[in-house]
Amino acid sequence: MTHVSDPIPDVVSVDRVRLVDVIAAYVGLTKPRVIELLLLTTVPVMFFATGGVPKLGLVIATVIGGTLSAGSASVFNCVYDRDIDEQMRRTRRRALPRHIVSPTAALIFGVVLAVVSTAVLWAWVNPLSAALSLGANAFYVFIYTMLLKRRTTQNIVWGGIAGCFPALIGWTAVRDTVSWEPFVLFLVVFFWTPPHTWALAMRYREDYAQVDVPMLPVVRSARAVAAQIVAYSWVMVATSLAIVGSDRIGWFYPVAALILGGAFLVQAHRFHTRTKTSDDLSVLQPMELFHSSNLYLSLLFVAVAIDPLITR
């Protein structure tokens, strides 16, 4: 026998699916994978600045504030770039190109995240960290997204500065001041960004060419890009060793930096060698270098955190 109440569960289920889709869309606007990497350069520096294990409450507040701030910057980026995101294979599944979230709603969401993140960092961390976080957010939106991205091949070189700020924020969260050590780590991320991003851009160079975004792999040959990747990689590894002069560093970090740096340089040179014989993506395998760069930076900053725990 069919009961009048039978269809009700189906209606509720549809509503729930829609709610889940909308929530997932808003979360997607914040680019969670980017946030993960940014936090991985924040929390280890807090261990380094403390010389041991930082206070849990401070770590939680810094992580929450940093997550909301980075998420806000990503939302603003999605709003501004929604026209080209609709045309690119890598981005056409985002919430705005699929019209799951309106540009106005996304903009409001981004503003709310920015305000809340600044308030959290100001109240539970310190004003300096809040100001640095807000500055990184503004730099990413106004300098990289709106000014550089569509105008110059050096877009991610200078625009990537925004992604270097977490190293400073992790330090200031603990010490409420700046020092030369976090600036060295800042520069490591700065020199890491071009090899990391150009490898990804090479994989999607046709997408960028289609929307007239002048990423370096679009306007230069694969061999020329690979040569610059090798150059930046050497500077990055050399910079990572500059911090060894700090009296806060023991034996573990230098060993890890040498091993990780050597492994990444092998990958970068191998990639460069491939470009001498072919321009085909199936031969070049740029995503191999991209994933290696993620692993390199992650493990390097883990070494920053581990060093004071085992050498002090």
Side-chain angles (χ1 to χ4, degrees):
M1 178 181 294
T2 302
H3 298 282
V4 175
S5 60
D6 287 345
I8 293 179
D10 293 334
V11 174
V12 174
S13 176
V14 170
D15 288 341
R16 284 177 178 171
V17 169
R18 288 176 178 171
L19 178 60
V20 168
D21 287 343
V22 171
I23 292 174
Y26 275 100
V27 171
L29 287 173
T30 66
K31 301 181 184 177
R33 290 184 179 179
V34 175
I35 293 175
E36 289 176 10
L37 198 60
L38 292 176
L39 293 179
L40 199 56
T41 58
T42 304
V43 176
V45 178
M46 297 181 73
F47 280 75
F48 179 46
T50 304
V53 180
K55 295 179 181 178
L56 180 59
L58 181 62
V59 173
I60 292 173
T62 305
V63 166
I64 291 175
T67 297
L68 296 178
S69 180
S72 169
S74 293
V75 172
F76 291 138
N77 174 267
C78 287
V79 172
Y80 189 82
D81 280 347
R82 64 188 184 278
D83 58 331
I84 61 176
D85 282 350
E86 288 187 358
Q87 303 175 56
M88 296 176 64
R89 287 176 300 164
R90 187 172 66 88
T91 57
R92 64 177 54 152
R93 297 293 297 170
R94 289 176 178 172
L96 288 170
R98 294 172 62 199
H99 305 289
I100 298 176
V101 178
S102 72
T104 301
L107 188 61
I108 293 172
F109 180 52
V111 171
V112 170
L113 290 180
V115 171
V116 174
S117 68
T118 303
V120 168
L121 291 171
W122 189 286
W124 286 289
V125 182
N126 55 57
L128 178 56
S129 297
L132 287 171
S133 181
L134 189 60
N137 191 327
F139 193 98
Y140 184 75
V141 175
F142 295 108
I143 303 301
Y144 170 68
T145 301
M146 299 178 69
L147 181 62
L148 297 176
K149 182 174 181 178
R150 307 190 193 199
R151 290 180 172 86
T152 172
T153 59
Q154 297 298 299
N155 45 22
I156 55 91
V157 174
W158 300 108
I161 288 175
C164 305
F165 273 80
L168 295 180
I169 295 168
W171 181 276
T172 59
V174 172
R175 306 191 67 81
D176 199 14
T177 187
V178 292
S179 180
W180 69 270
E181 291 101 331
F183 275 110
V184 171
L185 297 174
F186 177 103
L187 288 174
V188 170
V189 181
F190 177 79
F191 292 119
W192 167 87
T193 301
H196 169 77
T197 309
W198 286 335
L200 180 66
M202 188 170 290
R203 167 66 178 82
Y204 293 100
R205 60 189 175 188
E206 292 181 2
D207 274 5
Y208 286 111
Q210 180 181 341
V211 295
D212 296 322
V213 174
M215 299 296 288
L216 192 65
V218 173
V219 301
R220 299 289 300 275
S221 68
R223 186 172 181 179
V225 175
Q228 291 209 34
I229 286 176
V230 168
Y232 272 98
S233 298
W234 273 99
V235 177
M236 173 191 72
V237 173
T239 303
S240 73
L241 296 173
I243 202 172
V244 173
S246 171
D247 57 8
R248 294 176 173 275
I249 290 291
W251 62 267
F252 181 79
Y253 172 83
V255 172
L258 281 171
I259 294 174
L260 293 170
F264 187 78
L265 287 174
V266 169
Q267 287 280 66
H269 279 278
R270 183 181 300 163
F271 178 70
H272 182 251
T273 299
R274 291 176 190 149
T275 64
K276 295 178 180 179
T277 57
S278 177
D279 193 48
D280 188 88
L281 290 177
S282 63
V283 175
L284 298 179
Q285 299 179 24
M287 293 305 289
E288 178 182 299
L289 184 65
F290 173 79
H291 293 305
S292 294
S293 69
N294 281 333
L295 185 62
Y296 166 81
L297 194 70
S298 301
L299 293 180
L300 185 75
F301 274 80
V302 167
V304 169
I306 292 177
D307 186 272
L309 300 179
I310 65 175
T311 60
R312 284 180 175 266

